[in-house]
Amino acid sequence: MSETVLRVKDLRTQFALDDGVVKAVDGVDLEIGRGEVLAVVGESGCGKSVMARSILRLVDKPGRITGGEIWVRDPAGGGLVDLVPADVRTVRQVRGKRIAMVFQEPMTSMSPMHTLGNQIGEAILLHERVTKAEARERTIELLGRVGIPAPERRVDAYPFQMSGGMLQRAMIAMALSCNPELLIADEPTTALDTTTQAQILELLDSLRRDLGMAVMLITHDLGVAARLADRIAVMYLGSVVEHGDTASVFRAPRHPYTKALLGSVPKLGSGSRARLTPVRGMVPHAYQRPTGCPFHPRCEEFMAGRCEVTVPRPTAGPEPGREVRCLLYEDGGGSHKNAGLSKAGDSAGDGTGDSEGDA
Ligand SMILES: Nc1ncnc2c1ncn2[C@@H]1O[C@H](COP(=O)(O)OP(=O)(O)O)[C@@H](O)[C@H]1O
Ligand code: SF4
Ligand SMILES: [Mg+2]
């Protein structure tokens, strides 16, 4: 992999609420290299947003990072710095120079009271030693860069005067104001119509190409992930259950959750886009985290006596850079059945009967 811009190790973020503890992020490992696009996919409630906000230390109270490491390039120069124990100043510098984030709802991160020029200009003045006039010039340049027509006029527009797509472009312009080496985009197109979605994704792709910017693209749309991402990380209940390069994950998914997600998505490169089809059952309530493998109540390849008992560890292979968290692939894994060979969509629900003979 090219030079690392982000390395997350065993990240844990919890919300201590009156009724119990929500383990929103529960041992996430991932890494992004310079100029690389990583798609993070998974159903709603799997911890994607909390993970992303944790990276920038933006978790809402009572949420708290309870463990793990978040290594980014030190804004003070030199090597990497871990943001988990870092002081506020370092975290601010990282947000100003290294990593920027755009959210699903552009309106929630913009002030309705100020023009685009004011808001983006402020961001520029915060990060760079420039005059107000220069900040305005740079704002116009950025608005043009993200494809906003007539930027020299739009710079004086208020958010309510703009369409959702134009606002999301403006948000991306604001994110670019600090020349980030990594842009975290949390479902950036979910609130937009299909045509605008495609344009925003094309914009993200061009930023990666032209500026060499890495992108963490959080999406529940596997078609989007297939088109844009070099690598994919599949999240389920707070951890990455499978990751690897996009082509190999799509060609030969290993984790039963990935298989279920991919089940009815059109083939890679077919050009059509599909939303995730529902996986059997539902993501469990945050307080009712299953024992053993968290996916076991919904798994088509469940092995009784093992899956509800043992927490799977990451297993590497078959290609370099691939990893899966499933007991089928651990030593001795699913040897009592042809688990590793079963194809997506196979009904492997007979695993329960099989394993009765194991006891
Ligand atoms: N502010 C919060 N307070 C309590 N629980 C939260 C909060 N934000 C998120 N969660 C919980 O954390 C889990 C992960 O949520 P989230 O990261 O938003 O999922 P995703 O982005 O994958 O849809 C969910 O169970 C959610 O209910
Ligand atoms: S460990 Fe068991 S329950 Fe979990 S995904 Fe693998 S086969 Fe399914
Ligand atoms: Mg989310």
Side-chain angles (χ1 to χ4, degrees), residues 138-190:
R138 176 119 171 83
T139 303
I140 294 173
E141 187 189 310
L142 283 171
L143 293 176
R145 177 67 193 80
V146 298
I148 293 183
E152 59 293 334
R153 275 193 293 118
R154 291 298 179 99
V155 70
D156 295 317
Y158 287 88
F160 67 83
Q161 296 173 309
M162 303 182 74
S163 69
M166 283 299 150
L167 261 188
Q168 196 54 292
R169 285 179 193 270
M171 278 308 301
I172 294 172
M174 185 129 95
L176 294 182
S177 67
C178 68
N179 295 314
E181 54 193 17
L182 170 64
L183 180 69
I184 301 180
D186 188 359
E187 312 247 11
T189 62
T190 308

Side-chain angles (χ1 to χ4, degrees), residues 76-277:
L80 299 173
V81 62
D82 181 2
L83 286 183
V84 173
D87 55 32
V88 178
R89 191 164 154 268
T90 306
V91 174
R92 288 225 177 97
Q93 283 181 339
V94 167
R95 286 188 210 143
K97 283 193 192 171
R98 299 288 191 219
I99 306 179
M101 188 159 170
V102 289
F103 302 92
Q104 180 175 333
E105 288 289 347
M107 263 326 250
T108 58
S109 359
M110 282 234 169
S111 155
M113 311 291 287
H114 298 96
T115 63
L116 293 188
N118 277 336
Q119 302 189 50
I120 301 175
E122 277 298 309
I124 293 170
L125 285 168
L126 208 65
H127 307 136
E128 286 175 42
R129 283 208 187 116
V130 290
T131 64
K132 277 198 165 171
E134 285 165 339
R136 184 180 165 88
E137 271 313 297
R138 176 119 171 83
T139 303
I140 294 173
E141 187 189 310
L142 283 171
L143 293 176
R145 177 67 193 80
V146 298
I148 293 183
E152 59 293 334
R153 275 193 293 118
R154 291 298 179 99
V155 70
D156 295 317
Y158 287 88
F160 67 83
Q161 296 173 309
M162 303 182 74
S163 69
M166 283 299 150
L167 261 188
Q168 196 54 292
R169 285 179 193 270
M171 278 308 301
I172 294 172
M174 185 129 95
L176 294 182
S177 67
C178 68
N179 295 314
E181 54 193 17
L182 170 64
L183 180 69
I184 301 180
D186 188 359
E187 312 247 11
T189 62
T190 308
L192 306 174
D193 65 78
T194 321
T195 314
T196 315
Q197 275 184 22
Q199 291 165 352
I200 296 286
L201 293 170
E202 171 53 35
L203 169 62
L204 290 177
D205 203 30
S206 80
L207 293 175
R208 177 266 277 275
R209 264 195 329 265
D210 303 345
L211 308 179
M213 194 176 70
V215 180
M216 178 191 288
L217 178 63
I218 298 176
T219 176
H220 56 260
D221 187 331
L222 282 175
V224 165
R227 217 146 32 91
L228 257 67
D230 303 299
R231 289 188 303 121
I232 289 196
V234 180
M235 269 187 84
Y236 190 72
L237 284 191
S239 68
V240 175
V241 295
E242 176 156 17
H243 78 247
D245 76 88
T246 307
S248 64
V249 170
F250 269 75
R251 192 176 347 100
R254 303 190 94 196
H255 198 284
Y257 182 55
T258 316
K259 292 180 193 175
L261 287 179
L262 283 170
S264 66
V265 168
K267 273 215 171 80
L268 187 59
S270 70
S272 43
R273 306 168 69 254
R275 301 209 159 255
L276 297 190
T277 48

Side-chain angles (χ1 to χ4, degrees), residues 255-257 293-297 299-303 306-308 310 312 325-329:
H255 198 284
Y257 182 55
C293 169
F295 188 56
H296 86 253
C299 184
E300 299 284 351
E301 302 184 49
F302 173 76
M303 300 174 284
R306 293 191 63 206
C307 295
E308 75 280 36
T310 310
R325 273 179 200 247
C326 167
L327 296 171
L328 290 169
Y329 304 95

